[in-house]
C-alpha cells in the first residue's frame, strides 16, 4: 500500500510539473515571444521566404515601434505581415526620385543599398506622398506607415493604408532558421 501511494504521489508531482511547464510556455508565447515564418519575398534581401524568426512582443503592448523596426502586424486579409516601419505618428512621408523624405528631411535607408545597386532601369520605389496614399498630410496618432524592403513587390501601406499600432504584434530581428541565416537582421 505504501508503494502504491508513493507511485500515485510521484505521478501527481510529474503531472503538476508538466502543467506548470506548459503554462509557462503558453504565457511566454502569448505575452512575450512567438515564432513566425516569413511568407513571400516582400522583405528581400533583408529576409527571405521561409526564414523563421522570433517576434518580440515586449513593449508593443503599451508603446509604439521605432522607425525602421521590422514589425509583424495583423493585415486586413486575416494574415500577419512583416514590414519595416517607415513613418511614425506625426510624420509626413514622401518618396521622390527613389529617396525617402520624412518631414521634408532626406533619410538614408542603408538596408536598400543592395537592391538599389542591382537596378538597371527605373527606380526601386515609385514617387508618392502621404496625401496620395492616405489622404492625410501627417500620420495620425495610433498609426504607422510600413513598407517592405523589396519595394517593387511588396503589399504595404502604399496598398493597405496606414497600420493601427494596436494591430502590431511585435518587432522581429532574430532569424533562427535556416541555420545558414541564423542571426540578427537590421
Amino acid at each position: 500500500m505504501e508503494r502504491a501511494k508513493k507511485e500515485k504521489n510521484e505521478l501527481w508531482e510529474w503531472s503538476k510539473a508538466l502543467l506548470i511547464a506548459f503554462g509557462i510556455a503558453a504565457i511566454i508565447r502569448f505575452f512575450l515571444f512567438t515564432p513566425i515564418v516569413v511568407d513571400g519575398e516582400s522583405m528581400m534581401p533583408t529576409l527571405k521566404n521561409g526564414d523563421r524568426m522570433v517576434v518580440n512582443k515586449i513593449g508593443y503592448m503599451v508603446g509604439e515601434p521605432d522607425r525602421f523596426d521590422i514589425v509583424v502586424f495583423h493585415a486586413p486579409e486575416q494574415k500577419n505581415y512583416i514590414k519595416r516601419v517607415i513613418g511614425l505618428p506625426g510624420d509626413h512621408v514622401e518618396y521622390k526620385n527613389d529617396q525617402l523624405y520624412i518631414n521634408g528631411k532626406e533619410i538614408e535607408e542603408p538596408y536598400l543599398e543592395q537592391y538599389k545597386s542591382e537596378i538597371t532601369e527605373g527606380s526601386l520605389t515609385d514617387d508618392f506622398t502621404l496625401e496620395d496614399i492616405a489622404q492625410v498630410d501627417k500620420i495620425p496618432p495610433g498609426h504607422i506607415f510600413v513598407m517592405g524592403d523589396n519595394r517593387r513587390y511588396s503589399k504595404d501601406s502604399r496598398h493597405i493604408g496606414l497600420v493601427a499600432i494596436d494591430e502590431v504584434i511585435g518587432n522581429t530581428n532574430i532569424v533562427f532558421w535556416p541555420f545558414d541565416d541564423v542571426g540578427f537582421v537590421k
Side-chain angles (χ1 to χ4, degrees):
M1 178 128 111
E2 185 70 29
R3 184 171 184 204
K5 188 175 180 182
K6 184 177 179 183
E7 285 177 7
K8 186 177 179 183
N9 193 30
E10 188 173 319
L11 179 63
W12 172 243
E13 290 301 318
W14 273 104
S15 298
K16 283 194 312 188
L18 286 173
L19 282 173
I20 291 169
F22 283 124
I24 290 171
I27 289 169
I28 289 171
R29 184 176 173 130
F30 188 76
F31 292 108
L32 304 176
F33 304 99
T34 192
I36 192 162
V37 178
V38 176
D39 181 21
E41 298 179 349
S42 70
M43 284 298 293
M44 290 281 291
T46 308
L47 303 173
K48 296 189 277 295
N49 185 41
D51 281 353
R52 283 159 174 69
M53 306 187 73
V54 175
V55 178
N56 175 4
K57 297 179 177 185
I58 301 169
Y60 285 89
M61 292 179 257
V62 293
E64 65 183 45
D66 292 325
R67 188 177 326 281
F68 304 132
D69 276 359
I70 298 173
V71 296
V72 177
F73 61 94
H74 301 298
E77 297 87 23
Q78 306 305 318
K79 284 180 69 174
N80 291 335
Y81 278 10
I82 300 175
K83 305 293 178 194
R84 190 177 298 273
V85 175
I86 301 299
L88 299 171
D91 284 346
H92 179 268
V93 177
E94 179 178 11
Y95 246 95
K96 190 168 26 176
N97 299 322
D98 219 12
Q99 176 62 54
L100 171 64
Y101 293 89
I102 299 202
N103 301 324
K105 182 180 171 189
E106 191 173 296
I107 304 293
E108 295 300 317
E109 296 179 283
Y111 47 87
L112 294 180
E113 288 175 10
Q114 178 183 342
Y115 259 175
K116 284 186 177 183
S117 68
E118 295 171 358
I119 292 177
T120 56
E121 63 181 60
S123 60
L124 180 62
T125 310
D126 291 335
D127 292 354
F128 70 85
T129 65
L130 188 60
E131 293 86 352
D132 297 335
I133 304 295
Q135 292 74 46
V136 295
D137 63 338
K138 291 186 188 274
I139 298 171
H143 292 81
I144 55 176
F145 188 92
V146 297
M147 295 176 76
D149 290 356
N150 189 356
R151 300 290 167 80
R152 290 181 170 182
Y153 304 102
S154 176
K155 189 172 184 181
D156 49 39
S157 283
R158 295 171 294 173
H159 307 95
I160 64 171
L162 301 173
V163 175
I165 291 175
D166 61 1
E167 294 295 327
V168 175
I169 298 167
N171 73 330
T172 183
N173 61 0
I174 301 171
V175 175
F176 68 87
W177 189 261
F179 194 68
D180 294 345
D181 295 333
V182 169
F184 292 95
V185 294
K186 294 181 182 185

